Amino acid sequence: MPAITETTLTRERILRLFPDVAAFSESAPTAQDAQLFDGYDEEQVKLMEEVCIVLDWNDVPCGSASKKTCHLMTNINAGLLHRAFSVFLFNDEGKLLLQQRADEKITFPGMWTNTCCSHPLSIPSEIGDDLPTSVMGVKRAAQRKLDQELGIPGKDVPLDGFHFLTRIHYKAPSDGVWGEHEIDYILFIQATPAVNANPNEVKDVAYVTPDELRAMFNDEKLTFTPWFKLICESYLFDWWANLDQVKSFHEEGIRRML
């Protein structure tokens, strides 16, 4: 399999390898799907029908594909790339809200991660046709998912409260079948909302200081999502130390971490 580079992630190559991306339409579940999802939580299986935004190397949408299609390692290894976001919510004390993913999750179950990680959908309000409108799309998606996963209403996390920092391009396997290959929009927000976590999505939550998070990383009993570890090891603690200047970290480029 060729390395993931600008030349292997052109629109033309993606549409040649994945012709359904050009005009995605939902299809009835197949016998293969039944085998693929055997033993998984019904609600989580239903969420795998959501339609993600398929991208080229430069974060330009090429079309759409189901969450299932985007997260199969066979497709990821062939170069299928989609858009995502990661929310880091800090309370008034500057503590970061973490979540532990529910055991029902199909990818990375039971792992600790940042406040909310998910995908904008391939719908007009969340796609965007340039960076500013794409950022607005992921903010809308973040607001939607904070409500769905953590029971945080939109009024507690207004769109203008989110600060877009950067985009991170990374690839990570979950197991032999599932994984991630995303351009991940990093969003910071400072708020102190009421949290009413959805147990099908979230097993536990915790507000932590930087030192408490470092101690968690040293606890061999805990596991963490690869994107969260990657962001923490590379950037998070510097950003965290400068929450009052978070707008200064805004950048339009894409940080490649492949």
Side-chain angles (χ1 to χ4, degrees):
M1 188 62 58
I4 294 174
T5 66
E6 186 170 6
T7 57
T8 62
L9 284 182
T10 63
R11 176 184 175 86
E12 291 74 19
R13 184 176 185 277
I14 290 166
L15 295 183
R16 184 174 72 252
L17 290 174
F18 306 100
D20 290 344
V21 164
F24 179 79
S25 60
E26 291 190 27
S27 56
T30 64
Q32 183 184 25
D33 287 341
Q35 184 177 15
L36 191 64
F37 293 122
D38 183 40
Y40 283 116
D41 176 80
E42 183 177 347
E43 188 171 339
Q44 290 296 321
V45 171
K46 184 69 176 175
L47 288 172
M48 295 300 271
E49 298 173 7
E50 290 183 340
V51 184
C52 295
I53 303 165
V54 174
L55 306 170
D56 70 6
W57 178 264
N58 295 309
D59 190 29
V60 177
C62 300
S64 308
S66 70
K67 185 177 175 182
K68 178 201 79 174
T69 298
C70 289
H71 289 80
L72 285 169
M73 282 305 302
T74 51
N75 295 333
I76 289 170
N77 288 332
L80 195 61
L81 173 67
H82 63 279
R83 185 175 290 164
F85 65 83
S86 287
V87 173
F88 293 77
L89 185 150
F90 302 87
N91 67 11
D92 292 341
E93 300 175 55
K95 292 183 178 182
L96 173 61
L97 178 60
L98 304 182
Q99 68 155 279
Q100 184 182 22
R101 292 165 67 86
D103 293 334
E104 288 84 356
K105 298 288 284 186
I106 292 173
T107 58
F108 309 99
M111 294 187 181
W112 284 91
T113 193
N114 51 286
T115 313
C116 182
C117 340
S118 192
H119 315 91
L121 301 180
S122 186
I123 57 178
S125 62
E126 295 185 10
I127 294 178
D129 54 15
D130 56 17
L131 184 57
T133 55
S134 296
V135 168
M136 182 55 68
V138 298
K139 288 181 179 181
R140 293 188 183 107
Q143 199 179 59
R144 170 176 56 79
K145 289 300 289 185
L146 283 165
D147 189 9
Q148 188 258 328
E149 291 188 2
L150 292 160
I152 297 175
K155 66 180 179 61
D156 290 349
V157 282
L159 294 178
D160 60 5
F162 290 100
H163 299 288
F164 165 67
L165 273 65
T166 188
R167 292 171 285 177
I168 292 175
H169 180 185
Y170 78 96
K171 174 183 172 184
S174 176
D175 54 23
V177 176
W178 305 103
E180 293 283 9
H181 183 208
E182 303 177 330
I183 291 182
D184 189 17
Y185 285 58
I186 307 302
L187 300 175
F188 272 30
I189 186 167
Q190 195 153 10
T192 308
V195 175
N196 183 23
N198 176 353
N200 190 256
E201 291 284 342
V202 178
K203 186 175 183 178
D204 199 3
V205 297
Y207 278 103
V208 297
T209 66
D211 286 344
E212 287 168 340
L213 179 55
R214 291 186 179 99
M216 289 178 69
F217 284 145
N218 290 327
D219 187 340
E220 295 180 356
K221 300 188 296 296
L222 303 180
T223 57
F224 299 85
T225 60
W227 64 86
F228 182 51
K229 285 283 300 256
L230 195 66
I231 293 167
C232 288
E233 290 168 353
S234 303
Y235 311 115
L236 177 66
F237 292 106
D238 287 338
W239 293 337
W240 198 344
N242 295 279
L243 278 180
D244 58 341
Q245 302 174 47
V246 68
K247 290 182 180 180
S248 67
F249 295 107
H250 170 86
E251 63 182 14
E252 298 198 354
I254 301 171
R255 301 191 183 201
R256 311 286 178 181
M257 307 185 73
L258 300 170

